[in-house]
Amino acid sequence: MTEPAATYCANHPTVETTLRCRRCEKYICPKCATRTPTGYICKECSRAQQKAFETAETLDYVFGFAAAVVLSLIGSFLITLVGSIGFFGLIIVSIAAPTAGVVIAEALRLVTRRRRAALLFRVILAGIIVGALPMGLIQIFSLNIFGILFQAIYLFVSAPTAYYRLSGIQLFK
């Protein structure tokens, strides 16, 4: 009886393996394997599979960024108005900031026609931050303590809320 010939990883020719990619059937070692619910695939097949989910077009990045800046500027301005209330405004901002993030995310979903891409979500996140900066700087230069605090809460709550809502990341299942 003859022994079967040794098989080696396609990416690491010195590593012996019996594991194969379930899509392209090439031999892969555990370092090159990506686990999926239906088996292991190689990194190349994993990237190709991920590319199928990225549907954003070039204009989506431009419109998404511009709309994020405008919407965040509006939200930041409204938070500035609440900043004149004082301590009671803290409760209002704590409720308004995540709500603003959800509203911004849903409006941007319409602007980008529900297209998605990891880079698109990051560009939109940058737009939200850029849109909040002018009002934040005004509060800093006017030394309005409550205004600075409220702008910080707005930025640190609404931006991640919008990002997670757009990208579909679930923190709890």
Side-chain angles (χ1 to χ4, degrees):
M1 206 163 177
T2 60
E3 253 185 56
T7 55
Y8 295 94
C9 175
N11 298 326
H12 303 104
T14 58
V15 178
E16 217 174 299
T17 185
T18 57
L19 185 63
R20 284 184 172 207
C21 173
R22 70 168 174 80
R23 289 185 76 200
C24 67
E25 295 291 319
K26 76 177 178 184
Y27 286 101
I28 52 176
C29 67
K31 287 182 182 177
C32 298
T34 302
R35 186 172 182 208
T36 67
T38 57
Y40 290 94
I41 59 175
C42 64
K43 302 281 185 196
E44 293 81 18
C45 289
S46 177
R47 278 192 287 275
Q49 187 174 355
Q50 193 63 31
K51 276 289 189 194
F53 291 107
E54 294 188 354
T55 59
E57 296 175 359
T58 306
L59 285 178
D60 292 329
Y61 295 97
V62 175
F63 290 146
F65 181 80
V69 168
V70 170
L71 292 171
S72 183
L73 185 63
I74 292 169
S76 183
F77 175 73
L78 294 174
I79 294 297
T80 300
L81 296 178
V82 173
S84 63
I85 295 175
F87 187 74
F88 180 68
L90 187 63
I91 297 167
I92 296 171
V93 170
S94 299
I95 295 168
T99 305
V102 170
V103 169
I104 290 171
E106 293 305 316
L108 290 171
R109 209 180 289 239
L110 293 174
V111 168
T112 59
R113 295 180 297 273
R114 296 191 179 273
R115 292 196 179 106
R116 58 190 182 270
L119 181 60
L120 176 65
F121 303 141
R122 287 188 217 115
V123 167
I124 287 173
L125 178 65
I128 292 170
I129 293 168
V130 167
L133 285 179
M135 288 298 158
L137 291 174
I138 289 172
Q139 297 304 317
I140 290 171
F141 290 132
S142 66
L143 298 175
N144 181 355
I145 300 300
F146 281 114
I148 295 168
L149 176 66
F150 293 171
Q151 289 299 319
I153 291 170
Y154 167 76
L155 186 59
F156 289 115
V157 173
S158 66
T161 301
Y163 179 79
Y164 289 134
R165 183 132 178 134
L166 284 171
S167 65
I169 296 174
Q170 294 179 354
L171 297 178
F172 306 105
K173 287 187 178 184

